[in-house]
Amino acid sequence: MLDPELRDELLARMDRDQRLRLSLPVGEPLSADLLDEWERVDTGNTAFLKRVIAERGWPGRDLVGEKAAQAAWLLAQHADRDREFQRRCLDALRDAVARGQATPQQLAYLVDRVRVGQDLPQVYGTQYRDTPDGGFGPHPIEDPEHLDERRAAAGLEPHAEYDRLMRRHDQG
């Protein structure tokens, strides 16, 4: 049964998250105020999602609708300050995907985010970073020869397409 109050709160939190991230200056250092705000938003969203999952389980499509289910995934994706919780979200999201309550694409992104947080190679090539040589590119990828097969199985575009998009985005 749809929970409109939870749906609206998830959407509001996603909106704030995205407004903040989209306001970040490209290629410039972040101010202390912006860093503080970023930490407040992510910490608050993580605490909120923890409560939701503890009380209701993963907020999937049936509970909050498609867009708010996407918002729940985004909050988990950005819970980098609590890696243990992020790993628990991965288990909950796997179950939600199996029940048709979340997408395989969301799972692929969170798998990679958790692996990168553990200093392991990513599986789907979704996570990018500034490289030590001053460039921009993906975190290390496990078994790159079969990357596009894994991406296709998760419903993701070929990595070359995604790479072009990520590099264009990095340039502002």
Side-chain angles (χ1 to χ4, degrees):
M1 177 144 194
L2 189 69
D3 182 333
E5 187 176 320
L6 179 56
R7 175 199 62 210
D8 293 349
E9 182 65 22
L10 282 163
L11 292 173
R13 285 177 179 276
M14 178 176 69
D15 182 58
R16 185 173 181 204
D17 172 288
Q18 291 298 283
R19 273 188 286 120
L20 175 65
R21 280 173 166 79
L22 292 173
S23 75
L24 299 176
V26 176
E28 297 175 27
L30 300 179
S31 70
D33 288 344
L34 202 47
L35 284 170
D36 288 347
E37 179 64 12
W38 193 342
E39 184 173 347
R40 273 194 301 278
V41 167
D42 285 353
T43 300
N45 285 345
T46 298
F48 169 77
L49 190 59
K50 276 183 182 179
R51 285 190 307 273
V52 169
I53 291 172
E55 294 169 9
R56 311 283 299 272
W58 185 262
R61 293 174 173 146
D62 289 349
L63 182 62
V64 296
E66 189 72 38
K67 191 169 181 185
Q70 175 83 4
W73 160 79
L74 187 76
L75 299 187
Q77 188 79 357
H78 292 162
D80 296 326
R81 288 176 178 81
D82 189 339
R83 296 291 186 180
E84 178 54 38
F85 172 67
Q86 203 173 43
R87 283 190 295 276
R88 290 194 318 265
C89 285
L90 185 56
D91 293 335
L93 187 58
R94 265 194 191 99
D95 181 60
V97 169
R99 294 182 293 106
Q101 295 300 304
T103 69
Q105 295 92 337
Q106 292 165 351
L107 182 59
Y109 274 81
L110 193 56
V111 163
D112 280 355
R113 190 71 164 233
V114 167
R115 288 183 64 93
V116 165
Q118 296 172 319
D119 291 323
L120 296 171
Q122 57 181 326
V123 176
Y124 299 97
T126 64
Q127 303 300 297
Y128 276 62
R129 64 178 174 170
D130 292 326
T131 59
D133 63 2
F136 182 76
H139 283 271
I141 299 169
E142 181 176 284
D143 186 22
E145 296 79 27
H146 298 100
L147 175 59
D148 280 337
E149 293 168 33
R150 292 189 305 274
R151 288 181 64 86
L156 298 170
E157 71 271 69
H159 191 258
E161 267 180 56
Y162 183 71
D163 187 66
R164 278 191 297 278
L165 175 71
M166 290 299 292
R167 290 176 192 276
R168 211 170 331 149
H169 174 71
D170 179 58
Q171 295 171 352

